[in-house]
Amino acid sequence: MASTLEDARSIDHFFSAPSGRTDRWRDLHAIARFWAKGAQPKQAVGAALDELGAMEEFHAFPGGELIAALRERLKNEDANGFLALAKRISLAIITGNYKHDSKEWQAVDLSLAEPVDVLPATLGEGAVHRPYFEMLTVTPAPAGRWPSMAAEFRRLRRAEDTFVYEAILVGSLEDAICAAVLNPDIAAVAIYEGFALRSAHDAPVLRSVLAAQQPLLDKVDEADLALRLAAGLKAIRPELDIYLLSDRRVEKLAGDPRAAMIRRVMYQIEEPLELHLSVLEGIKARFETPFFDNLKLYAQRPIATFHALPIARGKSVFRSPWIRDMGQFYGINLFLAESSATTGGLDSLLEPTGNIKRSQEMAARAFGAEHVFFVTNGTSTSNKMVLQALIAPGDIVILDRNCHKSHHYGLVLSGAQPFYVEAFPMVEFSMYGAVPLRTIKKALLDLEAEGRLDRVKMVDLTNCTFDGHIYNTRRVMEECLAIKPDLIFLWDEAWFGFARWSPFLRPRTAMGAAADIEAWLRDPASVVQYERQRKELGGKPSIDKLLDTRLVPDPRAVRLRVYQTNSTHKSMSAIRQGSMVLVKDVDFNKVEAQFHEAVFTHASTSPNQQLIASLDVARRQMELEGYGLVMNAIEVALDIRREVAIHPLISKYFRIVGADGMVPKEYRSSGFVDFLAPDTRWDDQLRSMREDEFCLDPTRMTLVCGTAGFDGTSFKGLLAAQYNIQVNKTSRNSVLLQSNINNTRSDVALLISVLLKISNEIEARLQRGGEAEQKAFAARVHSLMNEVPDLPDFSHFHDAFRGDAGETTPEGDIRSAFFAAYAEKQCEYLRIDSPDCDRRIDKGPALISASFVIPYPPGFPILVPGQVVTHETITFMRKLDVKEIHGYEKAKGLKLLKPDALISKKSHVTGNGRKKSQAA
């Protein structure tokens, strides 16, 4: 049955395009099998073949020859022949065999086939497999000539080529856009001028894809169609190499500023071999991994080591009768590639001048940054590097109180004053969301009202949050820059690095938003837009007026300074602790020296070679196949959401919280409810991504387990111990599921089967136990889902640690409070179950935290050094049923600063840390 337009626009239908394609081929195979048995009519087979439709034209395999062969066998009623060929095509698509086996492309029976040079698999005897990709070719040539054009590209292949590709030919801008969106194997695009604008197809799924690209299709100048297409393709998939072939004056065209995104402009009637070689060279430029390539060569050399790393070369391991098993487990190359040297083909991570420097430059290109720094001890260290490099004692940082502890410790080290802003609470799940923009703006405006705006150096936020809340990063930066045009932004995107390779998520990344703002600043219309708003606001608008207005910055005053930290190991194929710092800072030349000092301070002088190599390789993988991998991760997540929601028994005890449950309505101006809500289309999600203050990362799934009688910690343990399923974050009544580029549909099947088994066990237990068991279960669920503690907001810093803070603003000197606790005689302990705890909160002297107190879950500091302890915090701690609370010793209690120590501290606290920053 043909898909309707609404079906085609459903979110899961779109993101399942790759696996949906394999499903349709499997369906064709199944129907052909019934036809061969006489259980299905020929017409049903024809309808299933038609269902493959126009989308198959955007893939090189199976190609026109095999499709024609299928139709011929259908016409001749050769049921067994049709079945055999459909089965072979289906299997080749599922396994990817067609990418390296030339015989798969032939219509003849494989048992009779002679090898032909269609897709040679190797470079020669004993050579390795050549990576395969597809090249989209946009041409004005009539469709009848396309097979011969594809054959011409095939004949250009040479034995010495490192890669092999097949050409996909389309004749319009619309078809080119659809192909780039739907086919993740496309890695290069050749555009021949003169092609059409509109597609000849009217397939619903293609219309839905194009609906999301409508701005690209509006007001198109036919004379600039090729450049418009190139820009559109780059906006969707910036990693693509684009080649423009023209019969006009190519010299003039190459000089057009709009052609900057094109890798090469060529005269289209020249030798096609030049295009072929250029395409392969472009792929090679992304395939190259300078450090990893050199590390492999280094491991092959016979080297004697006289440095302090006995494990290098592996002799101490493989010659030992006691630890040889470690060598057998990890393999010889791990040890051959170890060294403490920075010469002989290697490089220094602290001061790279060779292949590490080149690897970092390639990563900057891939991630859309100006600079990238590799970090081998995690994003915790990356955050501290950025804070130390850019922030000095006395500076004020607008900081999400619920961010990762590394940010708080970074401020302790730098001596800056945190101005804590609160995220919206999600009390039902004992977690926080993200910080509303209105809250951030009010912090800046309050500081401006007190004459302290010059002290504010940075806004520091987590994007996306652990639970999947994504900021409208561009809007946040633009409105903050409208208040203070030289603000620095640090976006902790530890969990969001993969988003660069999704055209839907990319605009919400720090680098994606910075690129959009950069383009807006260059547009003369930006000044007009700013001046119009300035006139509308008048001379001295009130704070309320500014809070209610979507502010426009003055493009002539803005200094765009954006930093993004990225846990590459959390969402890409890097070894654990592999991280990157991404920089797009117009003033980086002024802070570069101190940034390097911060690197020297925090980076190990013995960085792990394998970690550096894995960062290099992770970048390569994402540039060459990241688009398809991320699309698959989203599809996996949507599959899980759908299967949990529709299963009659699983949905009785478990549910995945929708966007409406994770993001309050006031932050969803688009009206978006959830990914798989009835009548929701995937372009609704795109509108949410464009417009809403917060949207939800589809790969993050909050699975409620409290309705099954499990708290998050025990359910996490059950999944790991009994079912070999690992999850990370938990809350009082939920666990967080994350899909990533590693997951497969088999993983989905395992998860669903386990949830079903647990649900069946609950059902059986309730039936066996009768009314008593059912009441106990209901009470347990009620406790987990309804008797949840209120989440404590940040109270305030004690006056002893306020220094010269403003009258109405809450910033404080966290560094002095932190180090005050180093003198044990200045500290005391108090158990939270002690009667003295409540009495002192009510009557004094005040309880002042001497340390960070961080329960897991939820994993954010409920107390920081120098903070006044309140009833809300103590009540929350008393209701916590978690085993792990960092900074709290159950036997001794809270570590507090003594009142007399606070009095002495107050007398000299202003001496250190109140100097105006000259650093950034």
Side-chain angles (χ1 to χ4, degrees):
M1 182 181 296
S3 300
T4 66
L5 178 57
E6 293 306 312
D7 289 340
R9 286 189 176 181
S10 68
I11 294 174
D12 54 334
H13 187 104
F14 171 75
F15 282 107
S16 66
S19 65
R21 179 183 180 228
T22 62
D23 287 343
R24 282 189 292 274
W25 276 101
R26 276 196 297 266
D27 290 344
L28 177 66
H29 170 217
I31 294 173
R33 189 168 61 249
F34 286 122
W35 180 39
K37 292 179 179 180
Q40 280 280 9
K42 171 184 173 183
Q43 290 78 6
V45 181
L49 184 57
D50 291 339
E51 174 70 10
L52 296 171
M55 288 181 63
E56 283 306 307
E57 295 187 15
F58 303 140
H59 298 83
F61 184 85
E65 180 182 347
L66 290 176
I67 294 292
L70 278 174
R71 294 198 179 279
E72 183 67 21
R73 294 178 189 189
L74 179 65
K75 178 182 176 182
N76 295 335
E77 300 192 2
D78 180 4
N80 290 324
F82 186 99
L83 173 61
L85 185 54
K87 179 181 179 180
R88 179 157 63 85
I89 294 173
S90 175
L91 185 62
I93 290 174
I94 293 169
T95 62
N97 282 346
Y98 69 90
K99 296 181 179 181
H100 53 80
D101 187 348
S102 63
K103 296 190 297 295
E104 295 287 2
W105 295 75
Q106 303 170 50
V108 297
D109 187 335
L110 290 185
S111 62
L112 305 175
E114 292 293 330
V116 296
D117 186 18
V118 176
L119 195 68
T122 62
L123 297 173
E125 186 67 30
V128 296
H129 150 73
R130 291 194 280 189
Y132 167 94
F133 66 96
E134 294 179 2
M135 180 180 73
L136 177 63
T137 305
V138 191
T139 174
R145 283 203 56 222
W146 294 355
S148 62
M149 292 176 65
E152 288 176 20
F153 282 115
R154 213 171 284 129
R155 283 193 290 270
L156 293 171
R157 292 179 184 153
R158 305 168 305 152
E160 57 267 34
D161 289 344
T162 311
F163 315 101
V164 64
Y165 67 90
E166 280 285 333
I168 303 164
L169 289 100
V170 299
S172 69
L173 180 144
E174 289 189 341
D175 284 335
I177 294 295
C178 289
V181 170
L182 296 173
N183 184 351
D185 286 331
I186 292 173
V189 184
I191 301 174
Y192 290 81
E193 283 195 315
F195 55 87
L197 171 62
R198 302 295 178 187
S199 172
H201 301 296
D202 197 31
V205 69
L206 305 188
R207 291 294 114 201
S208 69
V209 170
L210 293 170
Q213 307 298 332
Q214 198 56 48
L216 174 66
L217 305 174
D218 292 338
K219 301 177 182 177
V220 174
D221 184 346
E222 294 287 344
D224 290 329
L225 205 57
L227 290 175
R228 190 68 182 268
L229 173 58
L233 291 171
K234 278 291 187 180
I236 298 168
R237 295 179 59 181
E239 77 278 7
L240 292 177
D241 293 327
I242 298 180
Y243 303 88
L244 178 57
L245 296 99
S246 173
D247 57 5
R248 296 188 289 161
R249 291 183 57 192
V250 291
E251 302 88 349
K252 184 176 182 179
L253 187 59
D256 190 318
R258 295 172 299 169
M261 83 287 290
I262 296 172
R263 184 173 178 88
R264 186 172 177 188
V265 178
M266 306 174 70
Y267 195 45
Q268 71 179 43
I269 63 172
E270 289 181 339
E271 175 60 50
L273 180 60
E274 194 69 17
L275 173 61
H276 172 79
L277 297 175
S278 297
V279 168
L280 295 181
E281 183 182 56
I283 299 298
K284 183 176 182 294
R286 282 183 276 163
F287 186 82
E288 182 186 9
T289 44
F291 183 78
F292 180 54
D293 294 342
N294 277 281
L295 191 63
K296 288 187 293 183
L297 293 174
Y298 172 84
Q300 295 171 14
R301 295 165 55 194
I303 293 175
T305 59
F306 294 94
H307 54 62
L309 195 63
I311 207 171
R313 315 308 291 178
K315 297 174 186 176
S316 67
V317 175
F318 288 97
R319 291 167 56 188
S320 168
W322 300 102
I323 64 170
R324 189 178 302 156
D325 57 331
M326 182 175 77
Q328 293 167 344
F329 180 77
Y330 285 109
I332 185 62
N333 282 337
L334 176 69
F335 305 98
L336 292 176
E338 273 294 1
S339 175
S340 64
T342 57
T343 56
L346 302 178
D347 198 3
S348 167
L349 183 64
L350 294 181
E351 291 194 78
T353 58
N355 49 65
I356 293 180
K357 183 174 186 291
R358 288 183 56 219
S359 294
Q360 292 182 154
E361 290 169 350
M362 294 172 74
R365 175 196 69 204
F367 282 93
E370 293 167 349
H371 309 278
V372 161
F373 295 87
F374 288 172
V375 181
T376 60
N377 36 357
T379 298
S380 298
T381 299
S382 297
N383 292 328
K384 286 179 276 192
M385 285 177 178
V386 175
L387 287 165
Q388 178 171 322
L390 304 174
I391 305 301
D395 288 345
I396 297 173
V397 174
I398 308 293
L399 180 67
D400 178 3
R401 195 265 307 214
N402 309 298
C403 64
H404 188 265
K405 64 182 182 180
S406 59
H407 297 269
H408 304 274
Y409 283 113
L411 295 186
V412 168
L413 295 172
S414 68
Q417 299 179 32
F419 186 124
Y420 286 122
V421 285
E422 295 287 352
F424 63 81
M426 302 170 62
V427 177
E428 180 183 359
F429 306 112
S430 296
M431 65 176 72
Y432 281 91
V435 183
L437 177 55
R438 188 181 184 90
T439 302
I440 301 168
K441 288 168 63 178
K442 189 173 188 308
L444 290 168
L445 292 170
D446 285 348
L447 287 162
E448 183 178 40
E450 291 204 354
R452 297 165 56 76
L453 190 61
D454 64 304
R455 293 269 293 276
V456 183
K457 286 296 184 294
M458 177 183 285
V459 173
D460 185 351
L461 299 168
T462 303
N463 185 53
C464 70
T465 68
F466 212 150
D467 301 291
H469 300 95
I470 309 173
Y471 283 86
N472 190 329
T473 44
R474 176 175 179 176
R475 182 177 175 185
V476 169
M477 291 194 283
E478 285 182 336
E479 294 212 48
C480 290
L481 290 169
I483 301 170
K484 191 173 193 293
D486 62 345
L487 270 174
I488 304 170
F489 296 91
L490 171 54
W491 295 97
D492 181 342
E493 299 195 1
W495 305 92
F496 205 45
F498 72 94
R500 170 71 183 174
W501 281 272
S502 166
F504 316 109
L505 299 176
R506 186 185 311 114
R508 293 236 170 186
T509 66
M511 290 298 114
D516 290 340
I517 294 173
E518 196 174 46
W520 179 82
L521 293 173
R522 291 195 297 263
D523 188 344
S526 62
V527 176
V528 176
Q529 187 180 355
Y530 167 75
E531 291 293 345
R532 184 189 306 121
Q533 182 174 95
R534 189 169 68 91
K535 185 177 180 180
E536 292 170 353
L537 289 173
K540 292 185 177 180
S542 67
I543 288 182
D544 286 340
K545 177 74 171 176
L546 294 172
L547 290 174
D548 292 336
T549 302
R550 182 163 184 166
L551 300 178
V552 177
D554 183 350
R556 297 159 297 192
V558 166
R559 308 297 298 171
L560 189 60
R561 310 189 64 189
V562 184
Y563 291 75
Q564 172 187 330
T565 54
N566 168 344
S567 284
T568 316
H569 68 99
K570 284 187 170 75
S571 65
M572 290 166 268
S573 300
I575 296 174
R576 190 163 178 81
Q577 292 199 48
S579 176
M580 298 183 190
V581 177
L582 280 57
V583 180
K584 186 180 279 290
D585 181 354
V586 69
D587 292 328
F588 186 71
N589 63 317
K590 299 177 183 178
V591 297
E592 186 172 6
Q594 61 207 50
F595 194 94
H596 286 295
E597 284 293 337
V599 172
F600 296 156
T601 301
H602 293 283
S604 169
T605 54
S606 302
N608 184 282
Q609 309 278 39
Q610 323 314 323
L611 280 174
I612 302 171
S614 75
L615 290 170
D616 208 6
V617 172
R619 186 274 314 155
R620 176 212 282 177
Q621 180 182 40
M622 298 309 288
E623 273 204 293
L624 288 167
E625 58 177 335
Y627 175 80
L629 292 173
V630 173
M631 182 178 279
N632 178 73
I634 295 174
E635 180 202 347
V636 165
L638 295 175
D639 280 349
I640 293 172
R641 292 174 184 273
R642 182 183 60 251
E643 295 304 318
V644 169
I646 67 175
H647 196 286
L649 184 56
I650 294 175
S651 61
K652 184 176 178 180
Y653 296 105
F654 299 96
R655 67 183 173 92
I656 293 175
V657 186
D660 54 341
M662 298 293 290
V663 180
K665 187 175 181 180
E666 60 264 36
Y667 306 122
R668 291 181 284 113
S669 60
S670 71
F672 183 74
V673 175
D674 194 30
F675 301 99
L676 302 180
D679 301 322
T680 298
R681 307 181 310 183
W682 73 273
D683 38 349
D684 294 329
Q685 166 65 0
L686 297 186
R687 186 170 65 256
S688 173
M689 287 282 181
R690 288 193 298 265
E691 300 173 5
D692 290 348
E693 180 168 346
F694 301 112
C695 57
L696 195 62
D697 174 6
T699 69
R700 304 298 179 111
M701 296 155 281
T702 297
L703 177 72
V704 178
C705 56
T707 44
F710 296 100
D711 65 82
T713 302
S714 63
F715 190 64
K716 171 185 175 180
L718 174 69
L719 291 177
Q722 294 192 26
Y723 301 107
N724 295 321
I725 292 177
Q726 297 179 349
V727 299
N728 195 339
K729 182 181 180 294
T730 66
S731 79
R732 176 178 172 82
N733 49 30
S734 71
V735 296
L736 179 70
L737 306 176
Q738 297 171 248
S739 64
N740 56 53
I741 65 171
N742 182 61
N743 288 124
T744 65
R745 298 173 80 180
S746 295
D747 295 330
V748 178
L750 174 61
L751 176 65
I752 297 303
S753 67
V754 166
L755 293 179
L756 178 58
K757 183 175 182 179
I758 294 172
S759 299
N760 277 318
E761 290 173 351
I762 295 172
E763 286 275 285
R765 188 176 74 247
L766 293 177
Q767 290 178 5
R768 287 195 309 268
E771 185 177 353
E773 180 70 27
Q774 292 166 17
K775 285 184 177 180
F777 178 79
R780 172 68 170 162
V781 171
H782 178 79
S783 173
L784 289 169
M785 299 304 300
N786 301 109
E787 296 175 356
V788 291
D790 286 335
L791 295 169
D793 288 339
F794 177 76
S795 55
H796 58 276
F797 285 104
H798 188 270
D799 285 346
F801 303 106
R802 291 275 288 150
D804 64 348
E807 292 293 325
T808 62
T809 55
E811 68 273 19
D813 183 2
I814 194 172
R815 177 184 174 89
S816 294
F818 180 88
F819 285 107
Y822 275 36
E824 193 64 28
K825 63 182 180 181
Q826 296 186 145
C827 299
E828 61 177 327
Y829 290 87
L830 185 64
R831 290 172 58 95
I832 62 174
D833 57 359
S834 166
D836 284 345
C837 187
D838 293 306
R839 181 187 59 77
R840 284 187 57 178
I841 292 175
D842 289 332
K843 299 180 179 180
L847 304 180
I848 313 300
S849 180
S851 61
F852 290 99
V853 177
I854 309 174
Y856 285 86
F860 59 83
I862 57 174
L863 288 172
V864 302
Q867 180 183 342
V868 176
V869 182
T870 62
H871 279 300
E872 289 75 16
T873 302
I874 295 300
T875 300
F876 181 77
M877 291 187 68
R878 286 169 176 168
K879 290 186 177 182
L880 283 174
D881 54 1
V882 300
K883 298 178 181 178
E884 189 176 352
I885 304 180
H886 296 181
Y888 176 71
E889 297 182 53
K890 189 173 183 180
K892 299 170 71 174
L894 286 173
K895 186 176 184 180
L896 305 169
L897 290 168
K898 292 179 179 178
D900 57 347
L902 298 179
I903 294 171
S904 64
K905 174 57 70 177
K906 185 176 180 180
S907 65
H908 68 269
V909 73
T910 58
N912 177 30
R914 295 293 176 251
K915 297 177 183 178
K916 188 173 179 181
S917 169
Q918 302 295 323

